[in-house]
Amino acid sequence: MVSKINLAIISLVVIVVAAAGLYYGLMPPTPSPSPSPSPSPSPSPSPSPSPSPSPSPSPSPSPTPQYRVLRTSWPLPFYIDPSVGTDQASSAAQYNLYDPLIQLGLEGTIEPWLAENWTYSEDGLTWIFKIKKGVKFHDGSTLNAEDVAWSMTRFIKLGTGRAYVLTPFIENATAIDDYTVEVKLKTKFGPFISALNGFYVLNKDLVLKHIKDTGEFGELGDYGKEWLTLNDAGSGPYKVRRFVMGEKLVMEKFSDYWAGFADKAPDIVEMIGTTEAITIRTLMANKELEFTDQWQTLENFQEIKKIEGVHIEAAMDTAGGWYLMINTMKPPLDDVHFRRALQYVLDYDKIVTDIFPGTVKMHGPVNSAMLGWNPDIPESTRNITKAQEELAKSKYAQNYTEYNIELHWCAEVPDEEKVSMLFMANAAEIGITITPIKTPWTKMVQEASSVETHPHIVYIGAGGAYPEAGALLMNRYHSKNALTWMQNENLFNSTLDALLEDALQTLDFEERMEKYKQIQWDIFNIAPSIYLYQGIGWHAMQGYVTAPYTQTGKFVKSGVLGNVYIYKAQSGGLFDFRMYQVDRLIPYG
């Protein structure tokens, strides 16, 4: 990957130099016209010779186009089809290529977007949405209610990506007229409007032109899945210019975007697929990268900050947390007392002060910024005495030293190794053997797809699709998500599933919040996870780049590398590229 990027950069330089040569004199000069020969001497008078023609003026070189370019780094892979990708990079791409019905602002406030307003029936099962007029897709066609209804149907039928949030509740969607959509629900869904932030509207006619006849969905073939892997059918502020899977997504500004752009918004956005430390540092030093991923180590961020003009700012995670996900089916982890011993043995203070300074320890399974968080659940705390007491109660008390427990950590997030090694050392104090294993993200996703391939423990961060506790709890502990990367616990607990479903179907807000709080206690008591910390996403950026969360976000504190802010709760909303400012123009081919 690094070599491809470097070759691409070298090729670009060669092209630019060659173009400059054509304009500024490296090509052989055009010959000037020769003067007419003088007439031969003659005794007889001759007319005066005609004046020689003047040389034609050389054409002025055309100016080289200049663009505001924002190049960003990301872990691979990422998926731009709104019905496929759910990770941070995929969410960022989708957010910029498409438009949702609603947006989520600070602290989860709901903001109308494509849906200007909505009403619902007394029983909460029928919703009517009025769609904004005058919105253009990237091909110039007009977005209407039929596009919304068709996109919702595709979203539910495919059932992949973020569809799990809505699939259990939506019966159907119908266009009543050009700008009115009716959505029928199968059952009540309290946070329905908030949950729509991850649903995006596609250009129905454009997708239908590119369906592949696989028969998977009858006359709709593959529902456009293959084409939408590399192309977009959106109305968002940016459109796909070029996408090479496993390498780089290039997006360009959509000039007809209805919601406009910030002053000095980027004309071109590159999402480059690498998080390799030396590569990122070199690209930043050469001003060939404007905005880094958040997965760099603290040490690398400190080195990057030394580069002239670079500054580092952070946004707090308000929708999730970082966990050691314990496989409750694998011995000796199938014993609750053994799992509690692991919870007590870890040095959480060292994690939030030395490894990830500025992060906050979790109180149970839910982020403290989410609606419905239970503040009464104890903070994650190290207690060796309690760890030993729990170990003594375990059915493995006499033979636990015979087990080797594998912990898979993500290769693309190097600092995870530090936490994994700390856990290994802490567990060894009470005779438990932990073996950290560096695992590529793609393999972690594959392992999650089957109970048989789930490791003993997985170290990963996960969040909710909307800012209520129920969103995170459903992702992390409901059985329907057990075979996704957001779970490794293998609870398959029908009682817990029923409690979660009941909470989501509760329309009364306060009652729903109380149900969330009780569910958190139920989960805490069976100790299926080790609750680590609520993350901070540091990003290094060039001095000529301004990120919107530093301007309109909520300031929280000054951290070890820079200031920390709270920004939109919207999936991908931190990377609202139309609101970034790039105060530099460069050639771009």
Side-chain angles (χ1 to χ4, degrees), residues 515-572:
K515 289 181 178 181
Y516 290 155
K517 291 176 182 179
Q518 181 56 51
I519 291 170
Q520 289 166 66
W521 271 122
D522 295 340
I523 293 170
F524 182 81
N525 288 335
I526 60 175
S529 318
I530 297 175
Y531 313 112
L532 297 176
Y533 53 88
Q534 296 170 190
I536 288 179
W538 295 106
H539 295 274
M541 59 197 86
Q542 302 288 356
Y544 50 84
V545 172
T546 303
Y549 63 86
T550 67
Q551 303 298 302
T552 57
K554 180 181 178 182
F555 174 79
V556 178
K557 61 182 178 180
S558 294
V560 65
L561 294 170
N563 291 333
V564 180
Y565 301 86
I566 290 177
Y567 197 52
K568 293 182 180 182
Q570 181 93 6
S571 298

Side-chain angles (χ1 to χ4, degrees), residues 189-238:
F189 184 26
F192 178 47
I193 297 298
S194 289
L196 287 172
N197 83 90
F199 162 68
Y200 293 97
V201 178
L202 286 73
N203 183 334
K204 172 188 174 182
D205 292 339
L206 181 60
V207 176
L208 290 178
K209 290 178 183 177
H210 294 94
I211 61 173
K212 188 174 181 180
D213 188 15
T214 62
E216 185 179 1
F217 295 97
E219 63 180 14
L220 290 170
D222 71 340
Y223 241 133
K225 287 197 299 183
E226 182 175 312
W227 187 76
L228 287 167
T229 299
L230 299 177
N231 302 276
D232 82 83
S235 61
Y238 291 87

Side-chain angles (χ1 to χ4, degrees), residues 51-67:
S52 300
S54 301
S56 300
S58 299
S60 300
S62 300
T64 303
Q66 302 279 304
Y67 299 92

Side-chain angles (χ1 to χ4, degrees), residues 169 187-191 474 478 494-508 511-516 519:
F169 303 100
T187 185
K188 299 174 184 177
F189 184 26
M474 285 291 290
H478 194 283
S494 58
T495 301
L496 178 59
D497 291 346
L499 290 171
L500 283 167
E501 291 164 12
D502 175 66
L504 294 183
Q505 292 171 24
T506 302
L507 295 182
D508 182 87
E511 184 181 354
R512 190 165 72 247
M513 297 302 109
E514 289 304 312
K515 289 181 178 181
Y516 290 155
I519 291 170

Side-chain angles (χ1 to χ4, degrees), residues 369-520:
M370 301 189 85
L371 300 172
W373 167 65
N374 191 336
D376 295 329
I377 297 214
E379 181 183 74
S380 299
T381 305
R382 173 175 164 87
N383 189 319
I384 289 292
T385 300
K386 286 188 177 182
Q388 292 169 330
E389 290 173 356
E390 291 291 344
L391 200 54
K393 296 176 186 177
S394 167
K395 65 182 179 180
Y396 298 101
Q398 303 305 314
N399 67 337
Y400 68 86
T401 57
E402 299 173 8
Y403 291 91
N404 177 37
I405 300 170
E406 294 185 352
L407 189 169
H408 289 208
W409 60 274
C410 185
E412 288 80 2
V413 189
D415 274 340
E416 284 192 7
E417 182 177 20
K418 299 175 185 176
V419 175
S420 302
M421 297 301 289
L422 173 66
F423 187 42
M424 180 180 73
N426 291 160
E429 295 176 42
I430 57 173
I432 297 175
T433 301
I434 303 289
T435 302
I437 297 177
K438 181 180 181 179
T439 310
W441 172 242
T442 50
K443 185 177 180 182
M444 295 179 83
V445 174
Q446 291 167 359
E447 289 174 341
S449 65
S450 168
V451 171
E452 289 72 26
T453 56
H454 279 190
H456 288 96
I457 301 177
V458 168
Y459 179 10
I460 210 164
Y466 50 94
E468 286 193 10
L472 180 55
L473 294 171
M474 285 291 290
N475 284 354
R476 291 287 293 110
Y477 300 107
H478 194 283
S479 297
K480 71 176 183 176
N481 295 319
L483 300 182
T484 71
W485 61 265
M486 288 182 281
Q487 287 191 35
N488 186 64
E489 287 82 357
N490 289 329
L491 290 180
F492 295 103
N493 186 318
S494 58
T495 301
L496 178 59
D497 291 346
L499 290 171
L500 283 167
E501 291 164 12
D502 175 66
L504 294 183
Q505 292 171 24
T506 302
L507 295 182
D508 182 87
F509 179 79
E510 296 300 333
E511 184 181 354
R512 190 165 72 247
M513 297 302 109
E514 289 304 312
K515 289 181 178 181
Y516 290 155
K517 291 176 182 179
Q518 181 56 51
I519 291 170
Q520 289 166 66

